[in-house]
Amino acid sequence: MYMDRTIKLKLEMPDEGKENLRQTVVLFNQVFNEVAKYGFENHTYSKVSIHHATYYDIRERHPELNSSHVQGARDVACEALKGVKLKRLPQSIPFSAIRYNKNTIRIVFEHGYASVSSVNGRVKVCFTIPKYYEQYLGWEVRSSTLNYDSRNDLFYLHVTLRTESPKPSGNTVLGIDRGIVNVAVCSNNVFFNDSKVKNARAKYAYLRKELQSKGTKSAKRLLKKMSRKERRFVTDVNHCIAKDIVNMPFDVIALEDLTSIRVQKRKGKNFNRKLNNWSFYQLEQFIRYKAEALGKQVVSVDPRFSSQKCSKCGHTYKGNRDGSSYRCRSCGFQIHADLNAARNIAQAGISCLSRLSVNQPNVGMSAVQDTVQ
Ligand SMILES: [Zn+2]
């Protein structure tokens, strides 16, 4: 198991270096567009066939672009084509961020510099490592992207670093169900249905409606300000909830994997609502960060049936759930529907752990107690 962190470094360099990097960014994006166009027109995102068709021509026309950059642009283009399933032509603007790999960049964190390949040889850039980032010294550099902020003429490097996750000390699993009504429900019977959030959301929804109906310029400005405020509020609440969750006496935290698109179709409207809610992602990110810092593991589990399955006997039936209450037609078990889901998630987390064979999971499951709410 690994954990990845992305850090952002502000780069310093002489004007000449900036010019070289600007040209590199523009050319990289031009190549990206050329390659994407080829793939789109020939209906392929295969790296191999696109490579054979475009590489030598591009190298010939742009010998100044490092061959690794040509390959990098091709890879990114193929991924973009695949991402849109060839349904439309992905295009990048001249100053889109570009990808670097170990052939095109060498980063020396300890000395705060990097040598970055450009259309005109290597550019040496400097950066200061903020104190907070010092914890990442010694992590393995996975990938980096060069971002150009053309408005302020500044370059940034986003570097993704990886290290091995600390091994969980034990194997007790806490399952978390994230929801609309309850922000989070834990398999140990703890509910986070912070009425503060609900009240705030209701208040903001009401104000938003009022302001929208006005439609004036100042109303629009207020709306913007308000949505920032609401976001900050939810962020604060998410921080608190994540902190409480990771401090519970469990070694492993299991969450629904909301990113597996495969599942998206099967789960219907409710699930999609979860998927589109940035607050769910944020809570997950906070939990991951804080858990990892404590040496706790976070596992993502398949969310299928977590709300339909009986956490006691395993009977899976849609009709078992009715709003917030769950009653198993097979064994008669009654429980709050979100808590039932949280326990299923915990159980899925336990089987996930045994597949990963991290220790021998504790099948006694202190995470899953059979107490009825
Ligand atoms: Zn049952």
Side-chain angles (χ1 to χ4, degrees):
M1 300 292 273
Y2 297 98
M3 55 183 183
D4 290 342
R5 291 285 186 274
T6 299
I7 61 171
K8 183 178 171 185
L9 303 168
K10 187 177 160 190
L11 305 181
E12 309 280 352
M13 71 197 87
D15 286 345
E16 196 194 337
K18 275 190 178 172
E19 184 50 34
N20 288 339
L21 287 189
R22 259 193 302 269
Q23 287 178 18
T24 312
V25 171
V26 171
L27 188 55
F28 185 105
N29 283 306
Q30 188 187 325
V31 168
F32 170 95
N33 286 332
E34 286 177 17
V35 172
K37 187 159 176 270
Y38 173 86
F40 183 68
E41 283 170 357
N42 292 278
H43 212 76
T44 176
Y45 50 74
S46 149
K47 285 179 185 173
V48 176
S49 55
I50 290 182
H51 175 82
H52 285 305
T54 61
Y55 179 77
Y56 300 98
D57 169 55
I58 289 167
R59 284 290 284 154
E60 210 163 277
R61 284 186 292 119
H62 309 294
E64 69 277 29
L65 193 65
N66 187 305
S67 66
S68 278
H69 269 148
V70 179
Q71 290 166 26
R74 177 205 64 212
D75 289 351
V76 181
C78 290
E79 286 156 26
L81 284 164
K82 195 176 176 186
V84 299
K85 296 187 179 127
L86 294 168
K87 284 197 180 114
R88 55 180 180 80
L89 174 63
Q91 273 181 303
S92 65
I93 53 166
F95 290 138
S96 296
I98 69 169
R99 188 186 287 181
Y100 276 82
N101 62 27
K102 59 181 191 307
N103 296 320
T104 44
I105 196 165
R106 195 168 78 87
I107 307 173
V108 187
F109 283 111
E110 291 73 10
H111 299 122
Y113 84 87
S115 104
V116 186
S117 94
S118 80
V119 291
N120 195 13
R122 290 261 169 172
V123 173
K124 204 168 166 181
V125 300
C126 301
F127 50 82
T128 10
I129 300 238
K131 195 109 192 100
Y132 176 73
Y133 284 167
E134 280 173 8
Q135 55 181 311
Y136 301 124
L137 294 176
W139 287 35
E140 178 201 354
V141 176
R142 297 291 294 173
S143 65
S144 23
T145 57
L146 182 69
N147 296 52
Y148 179 54
D149 168 4
S150 57
R151 197 178 303 165
N152 302 305
D153 191 30
L154 289 171
F155 281 95
Y156 293 93
L157 202 58
H158 292 242
V159 188
T160 304
L161 301 157
R162 172 171 284 185
T163 195
E164 208 158 312
S165 321
K167 291 256 185 309
S169 45
N171 42 35
T172 51
V173 179
L174 180 71
I176 312 288
D177 178 61
R178 284 164 289 166
I180 306 287
V181 181
N182 291 304
V183 183
V185 175
C186 308
S187 56
N188 63 343
N189 305 346
V190 177
F191 284 65
F192 292 94
N193 61 341
D194 206 320
S195 52
K196 265 199 303 192
V197 177
K198 269 194 261 173
N199 290 342
R201 282 210 170 130
K203 184 183 97 190
Y204 285 121
Y206 171 76
L207 286 172
R208 203 166 19 243
K209 221 172 156 191
E210 291 273 287
L211 286 168
Q212 270 162 351
S213 68
K214 275 187 184 159
T216 60
K217 237 185 190 166
S218 68
K220 274 183 193 147
R221 212 172 318 128
L222 252 172
L223 262 171
K224 251 195 182 154
K225 200 174 156 194
M226 219 174 65
S227 72
R228 272 199 302 270
K229 227 171 146 185
E230 184 180 3
R231 240 183 132 89
R232 258 201 312 274
F233 181 80
V234 176
T235 300
D236 281 351
V237 172
N238 276 342
H239 262 302
C240 292
I241 294 175
K243 197 174 143 208
D244 285 352
I245 287 174
V246 300
N247 282 314
M248 289 177 180
F250 292 89
D251 310 301
V252 181
I253 294 158
L255 297 166
E256 284 181 299
D257 180 7
L258 297 179
T259 55
S260 77
I261 298 155
R262 186 172 54 83
V263 199
Q264 191 180 350
K265 290 190 195 101
R266 306 189 193 196
K267 274 278 221 166
K269 219 182 1 184
N270 246 336
F271 189 76
N272 285 330
R273 204 150 44 140
K274 276 192 187 187
L275 206 65
N276 293 327
N277 191 330
W278 64 269
S279 162
F280 284 101
Y281 284 111
Q282 191 186 50
L283 181 60
E284 174 164 346
Q285 274 168 353
F286 289 169
I287 291 174
R288 284 184 183 279
Y289 269 58
K290 292 177 202 291
E292 280 175 350
L294 291 174
K296 295 187 177 192
Q297 196 181 347
V298 177
V299 292
S300 298
V301 303
D302 188 340
R304 266 179 302 168
F305 311 122
S306 61
S307 64
Q308 297 173 18
K309 193 172 149 190
C310 169
S311 59
K312 194 169 183 189
C313 75
H315 176 66
T316 304
Y317 175 60
K318 209 174 173 180
N320 282 353
R321 181 183 183 157
D322 181 15
S324 67
S325 59
Y326 187 97
R327 192 179 70 81
C328 179
R329 304 287 164 106
S330 175
C331 74
F333 184 52
Q334 282 188 46
I335 186 172
H336 189 289
D338 293 341
L339 183 59
N340 180 60
R343 291 185 180 185
N344 281 326
I345 293 166
Q347 279 166 355
I350 288 164
S351 21
C352 173
L353 277 187
S354 44
R355 276 200 304 279
L356 296 169
S357 67
V358 182
N359 301 332
Q360 265 307 303
N362 172 9
V363 194
M365 298 185 295
S366 56
V368 188
Q369 302 151 355
D370 256 341
T371 45
V372 183
Q373 274 284 291

